[in-house]
Amino acid sequence: MRLPLHAMAAAGLLAVPLTAAAQGQKEPPAAIATPDRVETRLGTLEFTDGAPGPKTAAALYDHLDFTYAFRAFTDTFRGVSVEAARQGFEAAGIKDNEILIFSGLMDSSSLFLTANADTVYFLGFVDLSKGPMVVETPPGALGTIDDMWFHWVTDFGRPGPDRGEGGKYLLVGPGYDGPLPEGGFYVGHSRTSRVLLLGRAFLENDDPKAPVEAIKSSTRIYPYAPGGVGTSIAEYLEGGVELGRDATPETPVFHEGTGLVINTIPPNDLSYYEMLNDLVQAEPADVIDPELMGPIAAIGIEKGREFAPDARMRGILTEAAAVANATSRTLGFDPRDPEWFYYPDSQWWNPLFLGGYQFETPLPEITREGAKPYPPTGYRQLDARTSFFYMATGITPAMAMRLPGVGSQYLFAAKDGDGHFLDGAKTYRVTLPKGIPAGEFWSFTLYDNQTRSMLQTPQKYPRAGSQSYPSPAAEAAADGSTTIWFAPEQPEGVGRGNWIQTDPGKGWVTILRLYSPLEAFFDKSWRPGEIEAVE
């Protein structure tokens, strides 16, 4: 017969003290108890023996919905950014499988997140919903293909497998289970039914004419023909694959972009969520991680269902968009993580070195023995991801690598050397020491704080750099250093190529770009000066 616990204790048969439950304790430990009144940033929350009162429950559900809506903005801005570009293209009459090309370079008429006025852009959306598509890319390009959630699919051109020679890229969308070629194509698999093709080409002798001609004469977009080139007779004889005719390459429709008024920037009001719903409805339900899709579904955006928030939810979404936009803007203009800054005691920053293009693992070190990757950190750097996609368009490993002579590198600055935000009414200067580490060319570009697009002034091309198109090249001083001035009026004694015009009514940020960056950038033996206010 087994004695009850209290009898065993009375008989001295227990070697350990009785638990509170065994002793009949009525009050729970303080660490797990919920008081009747809890003071929080939401106000006073009231409970009756742990059960929430009606007003408390309503307030907490409002807060929970606000939290989901906030995350649906900051964590998924990247997807809405691509969708905003697609809708901007559509509004401008640019259809899928067509190309927008900036033959005279992009100017400030077009609203694109931190685009530049240094290279020939050519962009377009390729529709994979009816089957794989072939994209033939031009030689000399610097390009990437991303899906509709800004997942990287493949690079093309100089950083891609064609290494700048031009090549045939076979793009395969979700759900395709048909035959694929044995060879002859660079194959990229997309998780979405559309992809964004984003290409750039360098000027030749400071002139865009030759690269524009190469893009127009070489770029092709057309459906893949199974059983044609890339399928061997041996594969046919093994069964399961039919031989077919080769596909006929098709030249896409080209639309001129220089001077085009187009908006590709995501909204930051209630319509943000409507655009997010457009994207969710257009693409597969499982295209992003369920943890990321969870907050989206929690606010009423689900694949195959109508998004119809009631008045209460519309109010929450409106406020969440405002706070999330303000947060994203703060991350993009005023980062708090000291590790984002590229040099000690500097305002030049770029978060990609810490987490790479996936915002997770630091960039591999490049040594004499080859690339040496870091081990995965196991976590996503969410602030870096939000900051980057709020400010920029396109993602590729070519934007985040320590490899000299390949790709491009960027340094952002939103403040002067004293830590003050840059004011369009003031005059500033920055000096680049001798030996600017750019194998191809370098440039500064100015951006409007509001749109994060090129600053609109009478210059139209708010840039300065080593190229002499579309504005004169910057001139170096006798000691080899180069000073660039930022001011509403051209400073006395400063050449046009060394001055970028600002707007007295606008704040601005700048990006220093180094194309084909050299070792001195990566080992930091070369360092740009800080932006200085001139009295």
Side-chain angles (χ1 to χ4, degrees):
M1 175 176 171
R2 188 171 183 176
L3 294 175
L5 288 176
H6 65 85
M8 295 174 68
L13 298 178
L14 287 181
V16 294
L18 292 174
T19 64
Q23 293 174 349
Q25 179 176 320
K26 294 182 179 180
E27 296 298 324
I32 67 171
T34 299
D36 289 346
R37 292 174 62 86
V38 180
E39 301 299 330
T40 74
R41 66 192 306 165
L42 303 180
T44 301
L45 305 179
E46 297 182 344
F47 296 85
T48 301
D49 194 25
K55 292 183 178 179
T56 290
L60 290 172
Y61 276 122
D62 282 352
H63 177 66
L64 185 61
D65 289 338
F66 176 89
T67 301
Y68 288 142
F70 179 90
R71 289 190 56 197
F73 189 109
T74 59
D75 290 355
T76 65
F77 189 92
R78 57 182 182 171
V80 179
S81 184
V82 191
E83 178 63 16
R86 189 198 67 77
Q87 293 191 18
F89 275 46
E90 185 176 70
I94 306 161
K95 301 176 182 177
D96 290 344
N97 308 325
E98 299 179 347
I99 295 293
L100 175 63
I101 184 170
F102 291 82
S103 300
L105 306 191
M106 189 185 298
D107 63 28
S108 57
S109 300
S110 300
L111 297 183
F112 279 85
L113 291 175
T114 52
N116 66 65
D118 302 308
T119 57
V120 177
Y121 275 99
F122 58 106
L123 312 94
F125 289 86
V126 182
D127 182 6
L128 310 179
S129 63
K130 298 179 178 62
M133 296 288 288
V134 177
V135 176
E136 296 186 14
T137 62
L142 180 69
T144 189
I145 295 171
D146 292 331
D147 75 11
M148 292 298 293
W149 282 94
F150 260 144
H151 297 120
W152 176 68
V153 176
T154 187
D155 286 331
F156 65 89
R158 298 182 184 211
D162 70 273
R163 301 297 295 275
E165 298 296 321
K168 292 183 178 181
Y169 287 79
L170 178 59
L171 305 177
V172 184
Y176 178 76
D177 59 0
L180 292 174
E182 297 173 83
F185 299 86
Y186 304 113
V187 181
H189 291 269
S190 170
R191 287 178 270 184
T192 59
S193 58
R194 282 190 181 93
V195 294
L196 169 63
L197 182 149
L198 195 163
R200 290 170 293 165
F202 294 161
L203 308 186
E204 293 186 16
N205 299 317
D206 288 344
D207 190 333
K209 183 177 180 180
V212 168
E213 290 179 352
I215 293 166
K216 289 186 174 181
S217 64
S218 303
T219 304
R220 302 287 184 269
I221 301 176
Y222 52 93
Y224 168 64
V229 170
T231 301
S232 67
I233 299 299
E235 186 178 11
Y236 163 71
L237 294 175
E238 291 176 359
V241 177
E242 295 296 324
L243 296 179
R245 294 174 176 265
D246 293 343
T248 301
E250 298 177 16
T251 301
V253 173
F254 285 94
H255 298 261
E256 181 52 55
T258 301
L260 179 65
V261 177
I262 182 174
N263 178 22
T264 68
I265 312 299
N268 53 26
D269 57 12
L270 179 64
S271 63
Y272 175 91
Y273 299 102
E274 296 167 351
M275 191 172 285
L276 174 60
N277 180 63
D278 292 340
L279 177 60
V280 169
Q281 301 306 327
E283 298 297 344
D286 59 353
V287 68
I288 61 173
D289 188 290
E291 289 289 336
L292 287 176
M293 193 62 84
I296 298 174
I299 61 174
I301 298 176
E302 295 184 55
K303 176 79 171 180
R305 298 185 63 178
E306 181 184 6
F307 176 51
D310 58 19
R312 166 189 163 274
M313 197 64 194
R314 290 175 69 87
I316 290 173
L317 292 173
T318 299
E319 183 184 8
V323 175
N325 174 71
T327 303
S328 303
R329 176 169 289 275
T330 299
L331 289 169
F333 285 81
D334 193 16
R336 66 178 177 178
D337 188 340
E339 292 189 271
W340 287 20
F341 293 87
Y342 196 58
Y343 309 97
D345 302 318
S346 174
Q347 294 297 335
W348 294 109
W349 60 277
N350 185 332
L352 292 180
F353 283 89
L354 295 180
Y357 78 101
Q358 293 185 338
F359 307 96
E360 191 270 333
T361 301
L363 304 187
E365 295 288 348
I366 305 299
T367 70
R368 292 182 178 180
E369 292 74 34
K372 291 191 175 182
Y374 285 92
T377 62
Y379 61 87
R380 195 80 65 197
Q381 297 180 21
L382 301 181
D383 286 355
R385 184 178 67 190
T386 298
S387 172
F388 179 85
F389 285 115
Y390 188 80
M391 301 295 287
T393 295
I395 192 67
T396 163
M399 300 174 72
M401 57 185 177
R402 305 182 199 270
L403 191 60
V406 180
S408 50
Q409 289 296 337
Y410 311 89
L411 291 177
F412 297 78
K415 297 180 179 181
D416 64 21
D418 293 325
H420 303 300
F421 285 110
L422 300 167
D423 183 347
K426 295 182 178 180
T427 296
Y428 301 87
R429 67 186 173 199
V430 63
T431 298
L432 304 181
K434 180 181 179 180
I436 300 171
E440 289 286 347
F441 62 93
W442 62 269
S443 73
F444 283 102
T445 307
L446 264 56
Y447 299 96
D448 184 315
N449 279 0
Q450 288 284 2
T451 65
R452 293 95 72 203
S453 302
M454 281 190 276
L455 185 68
Q456 295 184 347
T457 68
Q459 280 186 346
K460 294 191 68 177
Y461 296 96
R463 49 84 61 190
S466 56
Q467 297 186 144
S468 61
Y469 184 96
S471 56
E475 297 179 3
D479 64 358
S481 67
T482 304
T483 299
I484 302 300
W485 295 71
F486 313 98
E489 302 293 337
Q490 187 170 349
E492 185 177 352
V494 175
R496 169 63 185 85
N498 294 67
W499 166 59
I500 307 178
Q501 188 173 28
T502 59
D503 183 335
K506 289 282 188 180
W508 55 273
V509 299
T510 190
I511 296 178
L512 169 61
R513 287 179 168 87
L514 304 173
Y515 288 90
S516 298
L518 304 179
E519 182 62 30
F521 172 76
F522 297 105
D523 67 18
K524 302 183 183 180
S525 59
W526 180 92
R527 170 177 171 170
E530 299 298 303
I531 298 174
E532 303 174 343
V534 179
E535 297 298 334

